[in-house]
Amino acid sequence: MEAVSDEFEAKIPSSNGQFAPLAVRMRPRTLDEVMGQDHLLGPGSPLRRLIEGSGAASVLLYGPPGTGKTTLASLLSQATGRRFEALSALSAGVKEVRAVIDLARRRLTAGEQTVLFIDEVHRFSKTQQDALLAAVENRIVLLVAATTENPSFSVVSPLLSRSLVLQLKSLSEDDIRAVLARAIADPRGLAGEYTVTDAALDHIVRIAGGDARRSLTALEASAESSLDGTVDVNLVEASVDKAAVRYDRAGDQHYDVISAFIKSLRGSDVDAALHYLARMLTAGEDPRFIARRLMIQASEEVGMADPTALQTAVAAAQVVQLVGLPEAQLALTQATIHIATAPKSGGVVKAIGAAMSDIAAGKAGAVPPHLRDGHYAGAEKLGNAQGYKYPHDHPDGVLTQQYPPDELIGKDYYIPTDHGYEREVGPRVTKLRKIVRGR
């Protein structure tokens, strides 16, 4: 089983290895070199105590790529007196997990505790995660697991409850700039052999998106392309195609981005809505999913304040179905702009919500006899459909007649706002209710 540790160390080459990628060579060697995670590394914090060898809690490190999860695990292996084992959820199965636990149990009898690091733990199946429970609970191993996905969605509840969940944050622009400055000057990095212009640094910071590894990869690619030791913004743009969008269609970022998209539509911020739309499209989100959300939003956020919003959203969904990408991007954009800029009303949601609430409360009385179906033999003898007044026989097309069950007479579900078209429909609803109810 010692080979497991060797395998992990192979993934983290020595910072002195001249052929290792820049991001590996510049991996922090001490806690003081870790950027952007001050909220987790303050004096006395669980993570600092763990790394310094005095903590005993298992930990789930949750955060975006390039924020230092693997670095912290590496520091933990160096700083603690515990034995260190590592598994990757991409390649390990239940057999490998149990083998590490058996080894840790034997070590424990000799007074040695084992730290088990699992990368990409969200990729472990429920069975694989369950195999860890007893060992974590009995502290046969001290678990340090890393995940880019929200553990609430990707880690089984028993394991979640036995671990500290520590969320790493994306690095700020200042943090990324500091990482780059260190890499440019440090002997492990570019050793001061390259001149990087301010504009080039600004561009790398911008495309990094809070990911230190991505920023260092961009810097390295640009430096390798330099013929005279100068890295300017044109060289960076030529060396790095585009900023990869941080987005996992099956993970936490999927839910965060679509949530932000929905809330931007609701809040009438058309520019933010377009940003999140572009983010989803660039990341390869299924356009049918986006179209479905737009159709829902058209009724949920706009409703009768602009009934044409739903027509636009449905039309966009049809374009997605009939034409496909990339052209369908325009229809999705049109629907996004329409919904974001339309007057807003929650009247549709509130109306059906109030009606459903009454149904749930048992307010579902008998259908009035004159409204019941009369198209079958014997209906007349039961009193069904007798006395029904046909509205089109009245000059105004509306007349006084009971429609709801007895216990719901006079109940108002739809409350129009004074936004958009509802300014017009509101007085009409009031007038119709007076006629229908005979008031």
Side-chain angles (χ1 to χ4, degrees):
M1 285 309 303
E2 298 303 324
V4 178
S5 294
D6 295 340
E7 176 187 352
F8 182 70
E9 291 302 325
K11 295 177 183 177
I12 307 178
S14 167
S15 60
N16 295 321
Q18 68 179 106
F19 299 112
L22 180 61
V24 173
R25 302 200 307 270
M26 293 307 303
R27 189 182 300 280
R29 295 167 297 185
T30 67
L31 285 180
D32 292 335
E33 291 185 359
V34 175
M35 302 297 299
Q37 309 305 332
D38 294 345
H39 63 296
L40 295 180
L41 295 173
S45 67
L47 187 54
R48 179 173 282 274
R49 287 190 290 109
L50 181 66
I51 291 176
E52 291 176 345
S54 59
S58 290
V59 173
L60 291 172
L61 298 175
Y62 154 48
T67 53
K69 297 184 296 298
T70 307
T71 291
L72 291 173
S74 177
L75 288 175
L76 188 151
S77 70
Q78 298 169 23
T80 67
R82 304 179 177 97
R83 301 296 295 270
F84 191 82
E85 298 291 340
L87 295 174
S88 171
L90 292 173
S91 57
V94 173
K95 178 182 177 181
E96 287 77 13
V97 171
R98 289 175 176 164
V100 171
I101 292 172
D102 288 342
L103 177 60
R105 187 178 288 110
R106 293 196 299 272
R107 285 176 177 164
L108 199 58
T109 61
E112 287 186 312
Q113 189 174 29
T114 300
V115 172
L116 172 58
F117 174 70
I118 298 180
D119 199 16
E120 305 274 1
V121 70
H122 58 273
R123 298 184 183 274
F124 261 176
S125 67
K126 181 179 183 299
T127 301
Q128 290 169 306
Q129 293 185 33
D130 285 343
L132 294 166
L133 291 177
V136 171
E137 186 167 19
N138 297 323
R139 292 188 174 171
I140 295 171
V141 297
L142 187 67
L143 176 67
V144 179
T147 176
T148 56
E149 296 189 8
N150 192 327
S152 299
F153 300 137
S154 57
V155 177
V156 295
S157 297
L159 186 57
L160 200 59
S161 67
R162 290 165 172 79
S163 307
L164 286 175
V165 178
L166 302 178
Q167 184 172 6
L168 282 72
K169 298 179 179 178
S170 294
L171 275 62
S172 69
E173 291 190 354
D174 288 342
D175 293 331
I176 294 293
R177 203 176 299 277
V179 168
L180 293 170
R182 182 189 299 156
I184 292 169
D186 197 293
R188 292 178 294 157
L190 303 184
E193 297 177 359
Y194 293 84
T195 299
V196 184
T197 68
D198 290 342
L201 278 176
D202 290 342
H203 187 63
I204 293 175
V205 169
R206 198 160 45 245
I207 65 175
D211 185 329
R213 184 166 52 245
R214 184 179 299 147
S215 73
L216 292 171
T217 300
L219 175 63
E220 183 175 33
S222 302
E224 288 174 349
S225 301
S226 176
L227 299 178
D228 60 0
T230 299
V231 175
D232 60 19
V233 69
N234 293 327
L235 186 62
V236 175
E237 289 177 342
S239 303
V240 183
D241 289 336
K242 63 179 180 179
V245 179
R246 180 179 297 145
Y247 187 89
D248 184 344
R249 284 175 53 184
D252 194 37
Q253 285 294 316
H254 165 86
Y255 296 105
D256 285 347
V257 172
I258 194 60
S259 175
F261 180 60
I262 290 168
K263 290 169 182 171
S264 299
L265 291 172
R266 181 184 301 139
S268 299
D269 191 331
V270 62
D271 303 296
L274 288 171
H275 164 78
Y276 292 117
L277 173 65
R279 195 158 161 176
M280 289 187 287
L281 290 171
T282 302
E285 179 60 82
D286 186 344
R288 296 172 299 176
F289 170 77
I290 301 173
R292 288 195 295 270
R293 288 310 319 178
L294 286 168
M295 288 188 286
I296 294 168
Q297 295 308 107
S299 292
E300 184 174 349
E301 313 298 353
V302 179
M304 289 300 295
D306 181 358
T308 65
L310 181 57
Q311 298 172 14
T312 301
V314 171
Q318 291 177 325
V319 173
V320 168
Q321 185 69 28
L322 299 175
V323 179
L325 294 176
E327 292 83 356
Q329 292 181 6
L330 299 178
L332 293 172
T333 300
Q334 182 176 344
T336 296
I337 294 171
H338 190 151
I339 293 170
T341 58
K344 301 299 188 292
S345 171
V348 170
V349 176
K350 291 179 181 177
I352 190 61
M356 296 290 284
S357 180
D358 275 351
I359 296 299
K363 298 179 181 179
V367 173
H370 59 280
L371 299 184
R372 296 174 189 169
D373 181 23
H375 295 87
Y376 61 91
E380 184 176 351
K381 292 182 179 179
L382 294 173
N384 292 355
Q386 301 302 301
Y388 171 66
K389 301 174 185 177
Y390 189 55
H392 293 297
D393 287 341
H394 192 279
D396 294 331
V398 60
L399 43 75
T400 300
Q401 184 164 235
Q402 179 184 341
Y403 291 98
D406 292 344
E407 56 265 54
L408 293 175
I409 291 176
K411 178 75 173 185
D412 295 346
Y413 288 124
Y414 176 47
I415 310 297
T417 69
D418 60 354
H419 305 158
Y421 175 71
E422 282 191 316
R423 283 196 299 269
E424 300 177 32
V425 79
R428 176 167 173 78
V429 168
T430 300
K431 180 180 178 181
L432 290 172
R433 281 172 176 158
K434 287 181 179 179
I435 296 173
V436 171
R437 297 171 182 177
R439 297 194 303 221

